[in-house]
Amino acid sequence: EDKVVQSPLSLVVHEGDTVTLNCSYEVTNFRSLLWYKQEKKAPTFLFMLTSSGIEKKSGRLSSILDKKELFSILNITATQTGDSAIYLCAVNDNYGQNFVFGPGTRLSVLP
Amino acid sequence: EAGVAQSPRYKIIEKRQSVAFWCNPISGHATLYWYQQILGQGPKLLIQFQNNGVVDDSQLPKDRFSAERLKGVDSTLKIQPAKLEDSAVYLCASSLGTGANTGELFFGEGSRLTVL
């Protein structure tokens, strides 16, 4: 059975700090790993990673995948209060049949 | 481009009552998903449609949950009778492609169900 584990489950930081969120997975026929940000409503897409070692970057957010060690990290630099959210990691198998989600990391950024 | 539409946004019912949720995916998206997200947990797949056919409903509690996507566009998810543990946010999502060309998921804002 496909499985996604995220750590930490909860994190409290102050504005300006840098945070690293972790996602490890077990999936047969891995195809992609996705990161989503969930505030009070629908999860919004951040990144899709398919290849090891290639960093994806968007502003202060970046992510990288290690297919050998079966994990990904999401980095957020110079955090702002608007980064407070739940960050979800999901994996998709090679058949594209399902997206399995982890429990999420709840990030709170204090002013 | 219009996003994934869901209704109602909120619903409060008593246990053993029934409820229905509606979802209209992004136009042209072949694949539609219903996820259940219990507070503090990640979304869990209930059912996945590709056009109007069911791809995966292995985690759908079929004794009380049903879903359909008759014309391959919008979809309804029904719960009858509801239990306390069904209190959750029901997220609908869609994706453009199918199989290995699925791409990312686009989510609706969810329907929050409270069962008293």
Side-chain angles (χ1 to χ4, degrees), chain B residues 21-71:
Chain B
F21 302 114
W22 174 82
C23 172
N24 194 25
I26 293 172
S27 177
H29 279 201
T31 310
L32 184 149
Y33 308 75
W34 283 102
Y35 283 88
Q36 179 192 57
Q37 187 174 24
I38 292 171
L39 188 65
Q41 299 180 19
K44 183 187 87 170
L45 180 72
L46 293 175
I47 189 166
Q48 177 186 351
F49 293 96
Q50 183 173 306
N51 297 310
N52 61 348
V54 175
V55 174
D56 183 356
D57 64 356
S58 58
Q59 298 188 85
L60 187 73
K62 298 181 185 65
D63 58 333
R64 298 183 301 104
F65 286 65
S66 64
E68 59 184 14
R69 191 185 185 199
L70 291 176
K71 297 181 180 178

